[in-house]
Amino acid sequence: MRIALTGSSGKLGRVVERELRSNGYDVIGMDLAGPRGPGFVQVDLTDYGQVIDAFSGVGDRHDGIDAVVHLGAIPAPGIRSDVATFHNNMPATFNVFWAAVRLGIRRIVYASSETVLGLPFDVPPPYIPVDEEYPARPESVYSLVKTLEEQLATELVRWHPDLSITALRFSNVMDPEDYATFASFDEDALLRKWNLWGYIDGRDGAQAVQRALEVAAPGFDRFIIAAADTVMSRPNADLIAEVFPGVPVTREVGPNETLLSIERARRILGFEPRHSWRDGA
């Protein structure tokens, strides 16, 4: 399967590119910047002409693609102004989705975000662990775009019943070298309350992408993608009692089990995190 991977130069994109290639996929990286060579095409995703042309074929690089993994975006709120974030991310995703539809590409996997769950949870979540069952609660322009992208995907698959679009609501992406800082989080429960003390190892993020490419059914679906544990050594019972004392806990959770439920991704995609900061690498 030949994959167009947008955002291939980003933190998650670099890992996804490496892991997909190691598992036999033909990956064409697409981003504003990247290494010159046969596996990369420079593309401005906000320019529809560039997107559909790059998906169609580029010189001797490739002559068409089978699926799209769309990670290209301003990756978080607060990096650029709200207007700049909207004007980049929303058109980029529309262009990627629309070009794929026009070219008959019927499998899209893309980065949604944990932010649609209500981050930074200044308004407490409706219950813990959070899951995909309650409506999106965007609290930033970045998250608003992610919510609109999910609605866009919902309508496109209604128009095209053979189209598969999978939204992966990634938690905070981490590389192994990031884990050295995790011990300091225990000093203040509020430091990481903004995403219920969650994270995702980039290698497990890549695993989720591959699982979605392989097993996602036609239609639209969305999945929380997080590590199996929290960033904290402190037990969940203490954290919840201190920070979210009035929030219902809907089931028993382990002392350090993720509070960003990944049960749906496990059940439908076969996703199972393999990496933890507790392992040291």
Side-chain angles (χ1 to χ4, degrees):
M1 188 184 294
R2 180 178 293 143
I3 309 297
L5 171 62
T6 74
S8 57
S9 299
K11 186 172 187 178
L12 180 59
R14 293 192 300 270
V15 183
V16 170
E17 182 175 43
R18 182 190 72 216
E19 296 295 310
L20 287 181
R21 284 181 174 159
S22 71
N23 285 293
Y25 286 84
D26 181 5
V27 180
I28 307 296
M30 297 185 182
D31 211 328
L32 281 173
R36 183 175 178 180
F40 178 77
V41 178
Q42 189 177 63
V43 180
D44 180 351
L45 298 177
T46 65
D47 183 332
Y48 177 71
Q50 290 188 41
V51 175
I52 196 166
D53 194 37
F55 285 4
S56 300
V58 179
D60 60 356
R61 298 288 198 264
H62 73 93
D63 58 1
I65 59 174
D66 303 305
V68 175
V69 175
H70 174 45
L71 308 180
I74 296 169
I79 296 174
R80 296 182 64 185
S81 73
D82 290 339
V83 170
T85 298
F86 190 97
H87 283 184
N88 183 88
N89 288 6
M90 194 70 229
T93 296
F94 178 81
N95 290 344
V96 167
F97 287 6
W98 198 247
V101 168
R102 289 294 198 195
L103 293 172
I105 299 162
R106 287 299 180 258
R107 185 165 295 272
I108 301 170
V109 178
Y110 82 98
S112 185
S113 169
E114 64 182 355
T115 62
V116 303
L117 299 168
L119 276 65
F121 294 123
D122 293 335
V123 176
Y127 49 80
I128 294 174
V130 297
D131 57 24
E132 300 89 347
E133 299 307 313
Y134 64 91
R137 293 182 166 195
E139 300 289 353
S140 66
V141 169
Y142 171 84
S143 183
L144 177 61
V145 171
K146 291 300 183 183
T147 303
L148 293 173
E149 290 171 350
E150 291 193 4
Q151 186 61 39
L152 171 64
T154 298
E155 302 307 330
L156 288 178
V157 301
R158 181 173 64 85
W159 293 356
H160 304 279
D162 60 337
L163 177 63
S164 172
I165 304 182
T166 304
L168 300 178
R169 294 175 172 180
F170 290 110
S171 188
N172 186 198
V173 177
M174 296 290 180
D175 292 327
E177 52 267 33
D178 297 322
Y179 294 150
T181 64
F182 278 31
S184 65
F185 297 150
D186 277 352
E187 298 172 6
D188 183 354
L190 296 178
L191 285 175
R192 295 280 309 192
K193 71 90 182 175
W194 54 268
N195 75 338
L196 294 181
W197 308 283
Y199 75 106
I200 181 67
D201 187 290
R203 294 164 292 182
D204 286 323
Q207 178 210 151
V209 168
Q210 183 172 339
R211 294 302 301 159
L213 284 170
E214 293 174 348
V215 307
F220 171 71
D221 213 338
R222 68 275 186 265
F223 301 94
I224 295 171
I225 303 297
D229 59 347
T230 68
V231 301
M232 305 292 278
S233 296
R234 292 177 59 185
N236 281 327
D238 290 355
L239 296 170
I240 295 169
E242 177 180 341
V243 181
F244 298 110
V247 175
V249 179
T250 57
R251 62 171 175 82
E252 184 176 350
V253 293
N256 300 115
E257 178 185 348
T258 180
L259 301 179
L260 304 170
S261 176
I262 55 174
E263 294 309 306
R264 200 163 184 278
R266 281 172 161 151
R267 185 176 70 253
I268 296 175
L269 297 181
F271 169 70
E272 189 58 52
R274 302 189 185 105
H275 302 281
S276 169
W277 71 276
R278 297 168 210 277
D279 302 328

